[in-house]
Amino acid sequence: MTLRHQLTYGILIWLCCLAGPSSAQEKPVLFADQTPWQIYERVHQAKWQVDVATVLACPSRRTGATEEQVYKRLLQERGTLAQAISLLKNKIQGGIATLVIKGKRSDRETKTRVTSRGTITMVKEDGTWRIRHEQWRPVGTEPDAGNRPASGIR
């Protein structure tokens, strides 16, 4: 772990300690009165920023994962995490929401743009939407415009 990551991790732990031990189970202010899509966008952004506190605040059930485990997982997932997401379908029935999301990311190894489709199930607990399950699968690839030769020859 680099010094930068150690400092970032240390600051995140310090901020979590300031919030108190039960803050992850209380209704987080950052998710109050937001739609499932707004919350998922926020969590997706937090994954890119490796914001452990926000990611830990959203699951519907405690996973038992430590902050360090979540931090390491977020760093590992950055290579496959969609850079841009858009909502395709939003279905809410009672206390269950199902989001269908399209994501796009660049794959540097294959120099392609990968399109994925995600299905996210969220449940309403104590008035706040929380992520219960998330599943992504690739649905297509295309040449990455940033990697095409200037002459247009492929």
Side-chain angles (χ1 to χ4, degrees):
M1 187 181 294
T2 67
L3 178 61
R4 179 176 172 239
H5 288 126
Q6 289 174 349
L7 289 173
T8 302
Y9 177 69
I11 290 169
L12 287 172
I13 295 298
W14 179 75
L15 289 172
C16 288
C17 290
L18 282 179
S22 64
S23 64
Q25 295 175 357
E26 296 172 5
K27 183 176 180 180
V29 175
L30 63 144
F31 298 138
D33 302 320
Q34 292 188 3
T35 67
W37 170 240
Q38 290 170 323
I39 292 170
Y40 187 79
E41 279 185 304
R42 186 107 185 228
V43 170
H44 185 80
Q45 181 181 19
K47 288 179 180 181
W48 264 106
Q49 295 169 346
V50 192
D51 177 354
V52 174
T54 300
V55 173
L56 277 174
C58 196
S60 72
R61 55 187 180 272
R62 303 305 302 158
T63 62
T66 66
E67 287 91 352
E68 184 177 2
Q69 290 169 330
V70 171
Y71 177 80
K72 287 178 181 178
R73 190 190 79 214
L74 291 174
L75 289 178
Q76 291 171 348
E77 288 180 356
R78 289 191 77 191
T80 59
L81 189 63
Q83 294 152 331
I85 59 172
S86 58
L87 181 64
L88 298 176
K89 184 179 177 184
N90 182 13
K91 181 180 178 184
I92 299 174
Q93 286 186 316
I96 299 175
T98 304
L99 308 176
V100 178
I101 299 171
K102 179 169 98 174
K104 289 198 172 211
R105 67 176 176 86
S106 293
D107 187 327
R108 293 182 190 186
E109 289 181 18
T110 61
K111 297 183 179 174
T112 57
R113 191 101 170 120
V114 179
T115 302
S116 297
R117 182 164 292 175
T119 303
I120 291 80
T121 303
M122 299 180 77
V123 294
K124 199 163 198 176
E125 295 176 352
D126 300 322
T128 300
W129 289 101
R130 297 184 182 271
I131 298 172
R132 170 64 56 90
H133 182 73
E134 180 173 356
Q135 180 178 12
W136 287 86
R137 63 180 173 83
V139 292
T141 60
E142 60 189 52
D144 193 345
N147 292 315
R148 288 186 189 154
S151 64
I153 300 172
R154 294 185 191 173

